[in-house]
Amino acid sequence: MANSRNPTSALATWESDLLGGHHPGFRFSFKAGEIQQWSPQGANGGPADVSRRITRLIHFCLQPLRQSTIIAHIVAGIIIGPSFLTRDRQNANKLFPPGSQYVLKTISSFGFMLHLFIHGVKIDISSLLKSIGGKTILISLSGFFVSLGFGLATFSIVKGVGGLDSSDNTEVIILVVLNSMTFFIVMTSYCHEIGVSNSAVGGLACSSSFIVDAFGYICMIIVQTINRVGPPEPLAIQWGQTLLIFIYYGILFFIFRPLILYIIRFTPEGQPMRSSHFVAIFSIVLVVWFWGECLGQRLSTFLFGLFLPNGPPLGSILAQKLEVFTFGLFLPVFYTMSGLATNLHRLKGSTSPWTLELIFIICRIGKFLGTLLSSLFVSTPLQDAIPLALLMCCQGIMEVIIVSYWMDEMILSNQLFSLSMINIVLFTGFVLPLIQSIYDPLRRYRAHNRRNVLGSNGNNDLQILVCIHKEENVPTIIGILEASKCSKAGSISIIALQLVQLIGRAMPILGPLHQVKTTANNLACADHIANAFQYFERHGQVYVKVQHFVSVTPYSSMDNDICALAHEKRSSLIIIPFHKQWAIDGTVEASSMPIREVNRRVLNKAPCSVAILIDRGAMGGNLCVLNNASSYHVVMLFIGGADDHEALAISRRMANNPSTSLTVIWLKPEDHRHDDSYGIDRDGEVIRDFQLKSKGNEKISLVENIVSDGIETTKAILSIKNADLIIVGRYHEPDCPATLGITMWSDYPELGMLGDMLTTTSDFRFSVLVVQQQPQSDGSRHAGREEEDPFFERNS
């Protein structure tokens, strides 16, 4: 029966089903960009179902070990292949009928071609060249040549004592060269996967690998030329082949490339590409791939994509329309087919596998030491140099492609191919989880001194970092900033950070707007957002300074840029939008789970206080900066604790604005007691200090509500009328009488008890600001807090 699926939600099923459908005759049915039907023979049982079940089992077993999906698919292929399940000829014939592997090889070849082309389009050579300096060159070349020297020296010693067969000499040398290299495509993929692409280590690793990449392509050409198998061809045929290759690349760069650039011009900036234009470009790519395969130019699609403009519209449309199928369907087949070609029983060749393994291990040790020592020489901290050296030792898709191609061309023996695949699995499978366990990109952003609004003098400048995902975030954020400015409270320095998901590019970007616009062309709404803040800056009655920054990065590492910029600018407060957006009628208009994960990580690692803004449009709707006609009614719910103290400090600063009226509702328990963790009656002291400083201000009022449980707290909140913004602290003690019973309903634990209730109740139409005071330098905020807070139990 046809089954309608969403592509992004069914990737795991596609991967497993595809690996289970080794019989020819599987069928696809497409409609409106979605897979409607997937029906491999034997998908509901029988031999083909075995491979699907094994793949799922391998994924499940390796997940706790933080293994890459590449490793899982290769291991599944090894298990299914002649090393285990298909060692018996009868089982092999059942799992792989005649002709089935040709179909799968075609799919795998098509998959890695698309992967290389997409990565080629994503790479911005000009930006990479700008990021390469003497430090990067030294690290990359040291790692390469020290590794090469260690490997060749070990090879010479082993050969001298008779540990190698003479027929293996050339094969071992080219594998030593391959083990000394680090490919840019592999490095960017792993950096994105483990969330360090925009960290110091990730940036240095990607830049260094780009330099080593040049050696890789040169070495591949040399190996392919010297080790061509078969009798020499007539001179006329050789000249004819060379002429065809020149004609091929001439058509690529002087006909196909200008044609694609001409098609791209018809796509306005910020608008999606037409389907007909995409089909035309994709058809050109298919021609390039097929012709390149016929001429033996397997990397031609990568080179072709490398010289096309990166980013939108081409890069983004390729990522949106092709990456789902490439990563979900085609690449898993390629990895599994490489695993299927691995036969552990063939390791028993003329040369002992342990002798060969010793050479490769020494080569990796040289790679690690060369990178580590050169990094320390250029003053890289040890805590960064070690993960950098480990990351440069990883191997991935490029190494799999190269050794597979060399085996097909009979440059490598089956023994050395199998040993190379085992090395990729073991080294990368060990190194990646090790890097994730020892390296925390946010470690350097944790401030030892507490930076928050409460700790700053009321007459000092206030540094605020506001995060913006889309234009709809701007009105309410500016409304809050407008309500916060006042000549009595000093100036406001605003860092407006526009967050853009990395699509169609290989490397992330973080920098001032005017610099980023010269390297990224997917910032159609950036000028509109910047103009809104410039308008706010020009027409403010007090000194307001706005700096515009842009971060183009994956969601997995977006929190790194937020925390890095807040740390660099010494911000006291970060304002981040909630992951849900409401329409005018109160219904949820948009929701983004990746943004929710970004918010969670920022809450956990921020170097200053954090406020999550739940935008219901009230503040933005009342905004009128030009004639100062805006009036805001802010309500602050006070129960007690560090987060409430910070929320009260923010509210008090807003109350200094003549256009802002503030009502503080103290939800005071009947058995109000001293707070031992903050000294004698710390909450009472904070309230008394607030009353003292607010004395004589008619727009500030304090209301004490005696509450005994969460029901009375809810009634007090429901009595609030005509509020534009409600400010609450995030964390409250679980045994606090004012919140008893509320904790049973928690859809969004990152908002705390009160924030969750205010967000999920459909009767409320006001915006909410949930405030968290800055964590301590050790990652905690209060003693025992993590043990009692379910959010930090899951995210610490």
Side-chain angles (χ1 to χ4, degrees):
M1 182 178 296
N3 181 25
S4 180
R5 300 178 182 175
N6 183 287
T8 56
S9 65
L11 282 182
T13 307
W14 292 354
E15 293 172 8
S16 302
D17 285 350
L18 186 59
L19 295 176
H22 289 298
H23 291 268
F26 36 77
R27 295 179 291 114
F28 291 95
S29 175
F30 295 92
K31 181 180 179 182
E34 297 186 0
I35 290 186
Q36 299 289 334
Q37 188 179 49
W38 164 244
S39 177
Q41 294 182 8
N44 297 322
D49 193 47
V50 174
S51 58
R52 181 174 66 252
R53 294 178 182 273
I54 290 176
T55 306
R56 289 177 177 173
L57 179 62
I58 294 298
H59 273 284
F60 178 77
C61 294
L62 295 182
Q63 250 184 347
L65 302 178
R66 300 178 178 180
Q67 291 298 316
S68 170
T69 54
I70 296 177
I71 304 301
H73 287 297
I74 293 177
V75 171
I78 293 174
I79 294 176
I80 299 170
S83 301
F84 296 98
L85 289 183
T86 57
R87 185 181 182 186
D88 180 73
R89 177 64 62 180
Q90 186 176 2
N91 290 337
N93 291 333
K94 288 181 179 179
L95 282 172
F96 302 103
S100 61
Q101 290 202 33
Y102 291 105
V103 177
L104 293 175
K105 282 186 176 181
T106 303
I107 294 177
S108 65
S109 177
F110 182 70
F112 84 73
M113 179 278 297
L114 280 181
H115 182 69
L116 292 181
F117 176 71
I118 293 172
H119 265 280
V121 175
K122 287 181 177 180
I123 297 175
D124 184 359
I125 297 180
S126 59
S127 297
L128 275 173
L129 293 178
K130 291 178 182 178
S131 65
I132 294 175
K135 177 179 178 179
T136 308
I137 295 175
L138 177 63
I139 292 174
S140 60
L141 296 184
S142 298
F144 176 79
F145 284 112
V146 173
S147 174
L148 186 62
F150 273 43
L152 293 179
T154 307
F155 166 76
S156 300
I157 295 173
V158 172
K159 181 182 178 182
V161 299
L164 284 176
D165 187 88
S166 59
S167 62
D168 294 335
N169 291 347
T170 304
E171 299 177 11
V172 174
I173 290 176
I174 64 175
L175 285 180
V176 167
V177 176
L178 181 63
N179 278 272
S180 302
M181 295 184 298
T182 304
F183 292 93
F184 179 78
I185 291 178
V186 175
M187 200 52 53
T188 54
S189 299
Y190 283 145
C191 286
H192 290 340
E193 185 171 338
I194 64 178
V196 300
S197 57
N198 54 358
S199 65
V201 169
L204 199 54
C206 291
S207 300
S208 301
S209 63
F210 182 75
I211 298 174
V212 183
D213 239 347
F215 290 94
Y217 296 125
I218 294 174
C219 292
M220 282 184 59
I221 294 173
I222 294 175
V223 168
Q224 184 177 350
T225 303
I226 295 177
N227 293 276
R228 189 177 297 275
V229 179
E233 297 175 338
L235 186 61
I237 295 179
Q238 294 181 17
W239 277 103
Q241 291 176 345
T242 304
L243 180 62
L244 282 176
I245 292 175
F246 273 103
I247 294 174
Y248 170 69
Y249 281 105
I251 293 176
L252 251 63
F253 295 111
F254 296 106
I255 296 179
F256 285 163
R257 182 179 181 272
L259 181 59
I260 290 180
L261 296 179
Y262 177 75
I263 295 174
I264 292 175
R265 290 176 192 162
F266 288 97
T267 303
E269 184 178 358
Q271 299 296 321
M273 181 182 290
R274 292 181 181 178
S275 299
S276 58
H277 294 168
F278 169 76
V279 171
I281 293 175
F282 189 62
S283 300
I284 294 174
V285 175
L286 290 179
V287 172
V288 171
W289 167 60
F290 179 76
W291 197 359
E293 286 288 318
C294 295
L295 296 176
Q297 304 296 311
R298 284 197 166 185
L299 294 178
S300 59
T301 52
F302 173 73
L303 296 175
F304 184 55
L306 193 64
F307 288 93
L308 291 175
N310 68 304
L314 182 59
S316 59
I317 196 69
L318 288 173
Q320 292 169 3
K321 290 186 177 291
L322 296 181
E323 281 191 345
V324 171
F325 296 98
T326 303
F327 289 100
L329 290 173
F330 302 131
L331 280 184
V333 175
F334 171 73
Y335 294 133
T336 307
M337 289 299 295
S338 301
L340 285 170
T342 304
N343 191 346
L344 301 182
H345 302 288
R346 291 180 178 174
L347 293 179
K348 301 175 183 179
S350 57
T351 303
S352 169
W354 298 109
T355 304
L356 297 170
E357 187 64 27
L358 175 64
I359 298 174
F360 299 146
I361 290 176
I362 297 298
C363 188
R364 295 294 179 84
I365 292 175
K367 184 79 170 179
F368 176 82
L369 291 177
T371 306
L372 177 65
L373 296 178
S374 59
S375 300
L376 295 176
F377 180 76
V378 295
S379 303
T380 303
L382 181 63
Q383 58 267 31
D384 290 346
I386 292 177
L388 173 62
L390 290 172
L391 196 57
M392 294 293 286
C393 293
C394 291
Q395 293 183 318
I397 184 172
M398 284 301 298
E399 287 80 5
V400 176
I401 291 174
I402 291 172
V403 296
S404 299
Y405 175 71
W406 283 347
M407 189 185 70
D408 292 341
E409 296 292 320
M410 293 183 290
I411 297 174
L412 279 186
S413 64
N414 290 327
Q415 179 193 23
L416 285 173
F417 170 80
S418 299
L419 188 61
S420 300
M421 294 300 297
I422 295 300
N423 277 325
I424 292 174
V425 171
L426 293 181
F427 276 102
T428 306
F430 171 76
V431 168
L432 277 184
L434 180 61
I435 295 173
Q436 295 179 72
S437 62
I438 67 174
Y439 180 64
D440 180 9
L442 293 177
R443 179 189 63 252
R444 63 192 180 102
Y445 308 143
R446 297 175 185 167
H448 295 283
N449 298 324
R450 301 174 66 85
R451 292 203 300 272
N452 48 48
V453 180
L454 179 63
S456 62
N457 190 318
N459 293 324
N460 287 346
D461 296 344
L462 183 63
Q463 302 274 353
I464 301 178
L465 172 65
V466 295
C467 301
I468 303 153
H469 291 283
K470 49 189 178 181
E471 292 183 73
E472 289 78 4
N473 301 144
V474 174
T476 300
I477 288 178
I478 291 184
I480 290 177
L481 297 175
E482 171 71 14
S484 303
K485 68 178 187 180
C486 180
S487 57
K488 296 180 180 179
S491 64
I492 300 178
S493 294
I494 301 166
I495 300 98
L497 176 60
Q498 300 180 40
L499 299 169
V500 182
Q501 182 186 7
L502 183 69
I503 299 178
R505 295 180 58 90
M507 293 287 289
I509 301 174
L510 173 63
L513 176 60
H514 66 277
Q515 294 181 5
V516 173
K517 286 179 64 177
T518 61
T519 58
N521 55 358
N522 58 335
L523 303 174
C525 65
D527 289 333
H528 302 158
I529 295 174
N531 291 338
F533 280 94
Q534 289 172 0
Y535 183 82
F536 169 69
E537 179 181 11
R538 288 195 303 267
H539 295 88
Q541 292 185 342
V542 298
Y543 180 72
V544 177
K545 181 182 179 182
V546 180
Q547 302 176 65
H548 303 276
F549 285 82
V550 175
S551 168
V552 184
T553 186
Y555 282 123
S556 60
S557 55
M558 195 171 283
D559 53 301
N560 291 353
D561 282 355
I562 297 173
C563 295
L565 193 59
H567 177 74
E568 178 186 346
K569 298 299 181 179
R570 304 187 63 81
S571 301
S572 299
L573 178 65
I574 299 174
I575 300 178
I576 51 180
F578 192 53
H579 70 278
K580 283 191 173 183
Q581 184 78 29
W582 279 265
I584 299 177
D585 59 357
T587 59
V588 176
E589 188 176 50
S591 179
S592 174
M593 291 306 296
I595 293 178
R596 184 184 185 187
E597 293 302 321
V598 171
N599 292 347
R600 286 179 167 181
R601 293 192 295 268
V602 171
L603 284 169
N604 201 19
K605 299 292 180 67
C608 60
S609 296
V610 181
I612 298 182
L613 174 61
I614 296 93
D615 181 11
R616 295 294 184 89
M619 291 293 288
N622 287 342
L623 177 63
C624 184
V625 179
L626 181 60
N627 56 19
N628 201 29
S630 303
S631 60
Y632 312 99
H633 181 206
V634 179
V635 176
M636 193 268 154
L637 300 177
F638 186 91
I639 294 178
D643 291 350
D644 276 18
H645 299 167
E646 181 74 1
L648 185 63
I650 295 173
S651 304
R652 186 173 61 193
R653 178 160 185 124
M654 289 185 176
N656 290 328
N657 190 325
S659 300
T660 304
S661 60
L662 172 64
T663 301
V664 177
I665 301 178
W666 187 8
L667 302 172
K668 190 174 182 180
E670 288 181 334
D671 55 344
H672 178 65
R673 65 182 189 278
H674 298 327
D675 187 350
D676 295 333
S677 63
Y678 283 88
I680 299 177
D681 198 9
R682 175 61 175 162
D683 295 334
E685 288 183 3
V686 170
I687 289 294
R688 285 192 292 272
D689 180 67
F690 171 77
Q691 288 179 305
L692 180 63
K693 292 183 178 180
S694 305
K695 190 175 181 180
N697 192 333
E698 298 179 353
K699 291 194 174 184
I700 300 178
S701 59
L702 174 66
V703 179
E704 292 188 17
N705 277 3
I706 305 299
V707 294
S708 58
D709 54 26
I711 296 177
E712 295 187 3
T713 298
T714 304
K715 291 180 180 179
I717 295 175
L718 289 173
S719 64
I720 299 174
K721 304 295 182 184
N722 301 322
D724 297 313
L725 177 69
I726 289 187
I727 303 178
V728 297
R730 181 187 168 270
Y731 179 81
H732 300 97
E733 296 294 336
D735 59 349
C736 175
T739 59
L740 287 179
I742 299 179
T743 55
M744 292 187 296
W745 307 288
S746 182
D747 293 332
Y748 309 110
E750 66 270 23
L751 299 180
M753 304 171 191
L754 293 183
D756 179 81
M757 183 183 67
L758 292 169
T759 302
T760 55
T761 304
S762 60
D763 295 337
F764 298 142
R765 289 291 185 268
F766 38 70
S767 298
V768 181
L769 195 67
V770 179
V771 179
Q772 172 190 282
Q773 199 177 63
Q774 178 227 359
Q776 299 281 8
S777 60
D778 60 355
S780 62
R781 289 188 297 274
H782 307 295
R785 184 169 190 171
E786 284 76 6
E787 288 77 9
E788 299 173 352
D789 190 342
F791 168 73
F792 280 92
E793 287 178 4
R794 292 193 300 269
N795 294 275
S796 59

